Amino acid sequence: MATRDSLSLAIASTQQIDPYLPHVSSSNPSLKPYVTLTFATSLDSNLSLSPGTQTTLSGPLSKAMTHYLRSKHDAILIGVGTANADNPSLNCRFEGVGGYGGQGLEGQPRPVILDPSGRWDVSEQSKVIQLASTGRGRGPLVLTYTEPQIAMKELLEKVSGKFISMFQQSNTKESTPRFQWADLLAVLSREGITSVMVEGGGAVINDLLHPSNITLVNSVIVTIAPVWLGKGGVQVCPEERVDGGSKVSVGRLGNVKWVPLGDDVVLCGRPSV
Ligand SMILES: NC(=O)C1=CN([C@@H]2O[C@H](COP(=O)(O)OP(=O)(O)OC[C@H]3O[C@@H](n4cnc5c(N)ncnc54)[C@H](O)[C@@H]3O)[C@@H](O)[C@H]2O)C=CC1
Ligand SMILES: Nc1nc(O)c(N)c(N[C@@H]2O[C@H](COP(=O)(O)O)[C@@H](O)[C@H]2O)n1
């Protein structure tokens, strides 16, 4: 839990970040959720030192800012690689804004885990499950192509989470199965989710930054920490884009704002392809 001082400072800074956040919640189920892509990176664009490990990059102020973001979204989405590497909590621990403050589940985002191949071990050891079972977070939605084990299904349902089976076209059996972003956002919309923050990890972020998906992103909020992690890390580096035979940039942010937060800087922008 962040301290009161760091929270006050973070709140002051968040006024600059607010324009990049979802504001109007819509009950129209046909609308795509508002998508905020947000993560913390090193100066060499690494999310962590190596695959399968968790690396602290954000300082206390930018971490508090992340919890503020969590309080402003209906859902928080990660890939199964992050679920397994970090065993994250994925709740809002920003007292007074949402989360732990005697306000029940108000201000708590619903965790969403992309797990097409059924690699996430849904068990009592998972912090997400522990928090949901004690009223400190919401039960997760797990999007998958596989048939879940009955015990895992029951455990998830006990904490008001569930597996959602995604439709897999028989002619698109890739070696690394993926959902189409438009499809998965439509599924979230049908679950009543009007805004989602995508936190990572590398595969999820790089996939969303692909030229065919980046237009689905409404805003990008990146914490940049003053550290180099070196080669071998999990890197944010999307596929190249070729146009008319020449390599061009994948995308660019417009409407940019740089917000210093402690030793870090938070970059906010909107994709302009
Ligand atoms: N610094 C930061 O802000 C963050 C750092 N991380 C770090 O990132 C690392 C994990 O990253 P990765 O190994 O790349 O794992 P990941 O979290 O991106 O998960 C990868 C898996 O997600 C699934 N996936 C990805 N895109 C999908 C799609 N479109 N449809 C369906 N499934 C999809 C696939 O099963 C894929 O194997 C960890 O070290 C973690 O600590 C993770 C989140 C944020
Ligand atoms: N904002 C931010 N800064 C960092 O330095 C990080 N390593 C991350 N990682 C993300 O946050 C999740 C951990 O969340 P909990 O504190 O356990 O709720 C982790 O899984 C990454 O998605 N983020």
Side-chain angles (χ1 to χ4, degrees):
M1 175 84 68
T3 65
R4 281 243 162 250
D5 282 354
S6 66
L7 287 180
S8 328
L9 251 168
I11 288 170
S13 310
T14 53
Q15 285 165 2
Q16 300 183 66
I17 294 169
D18 277 346
Y20 299 90
L21 298 182
H23 285 290
V24 186
S25 77
S26 166
S27 57
N28 183 344
S30 66
L31 283 182
K32 160 190 104 52
Y34 185 100
V35 177
T36 306
L37 176 60
T38 182
F39 52 89
T41 159
S42 63
L43 294 175
D44 44 5
S45 200
N46 279 304
L47 296 166
S48 65
L49 280 163
S50 58
T53 62
Q54 186 173 29
T55 305
T56 299
L57 291 165
S58 303
L61 295 183
S62 41
K63 191 68 187 173
M65 184 277 300
T66 301
H67 282 272
Y68 177 75
L69 297 189
R70 288 182 178 185
S71 77
K72 295 289 181 190
H73 290 81
D74 289 346
I76 174 170
L77 182 149
I78 58 164
V80 63
T82 299
N84 284 338
D86 296 359
N87 188 12
S89 298
L90 302 180
N91 62 347
C92 171
R93 305 191 290 281
F94 198 132
E95 195 182 358
V97 173
Y100 302 175
Q103 299 171 49
L105 288 175
E106 201 187 321
Q108 288 294 355
R110 183 172 296 286
V112 175
I113 297 167
L114 302 188
D115 189 12
S117 313
R119 285 163 49 206
W120 189 43
D121 181 25
V122 184
S123 77
E124 311 268 5
Q125 309 309 314
S126 154
K127 285 190 197 154
V128 170
I129 301 291
Q130 289 168 4
L131 290 163
S133 64
T134 51
R136 291 176 292 160
R138 292 185 194 269
L141 301 179
V142 183
L143 275 50
T144 188
Y145 282 139
T146 60
E147 183 60 37
Q149 289 175 23
I150 294 197
M152 291 191 185
K153 194 165 174 275
E154 285 175 356
L155 180 57
L156 216 48
E157 286 168 3
K158 207 168 111 189
V159 299
S160 305
K162 63 177 172 180
F163 285 101
I164 298 181
S165 295
M166 301 290 288
F167 175 70
Q168 186 173 27
Q169 292 195 353
S170 52
N171 58 349
T172 57
K173 292 237 158 87
E174 308 161 90
S175 52
T176 47
R178 284 168 202 279
F179 313 130
Q180 296 298 313
W181 280 91
D183 293 348
L184 81 85
L185 292 174
V187 164
L188 297 186
S189 189
R190 284 199 289 279
E191 293 294 321
I193 289 167
T194 64
S195 57
V196 55
M197 59 187 277
V198 177
E199 271 205 1
V204 167
I205 295 168
N206 290 330
D207 198 31
L208 192 52
L209 287 175
H210 189 276
S212 57
N213 297 325
I214 196 169
T215 50
L216 297 167
V217 177
N218 295 91
S219 63
V220 178
I221 301 177
V222 182
T223 297
I224 301 165
V227 59
W228 291 275
L229 296 184
K231 288 185 181 165
V234 176
Q235 219 181 11
V236 176
C237 185
E239 285 294 317
E240 64 177 358
R241 180 169 159 226
V242 177
D243 196 5
S246 308
K247 189 175 166 186
V248 294
S249 69
V250 172
R252 192 185 165 84
L253 293 180
N255 201 357
V256 164
K257 202 181 278 179
W258 294 86
V259 183
L261 261 180
D263 285 349
D264 304 336
V265 66
V266 176
L267 165 63
C268 308
R270 295 186 186 283
S272 58
V273 184

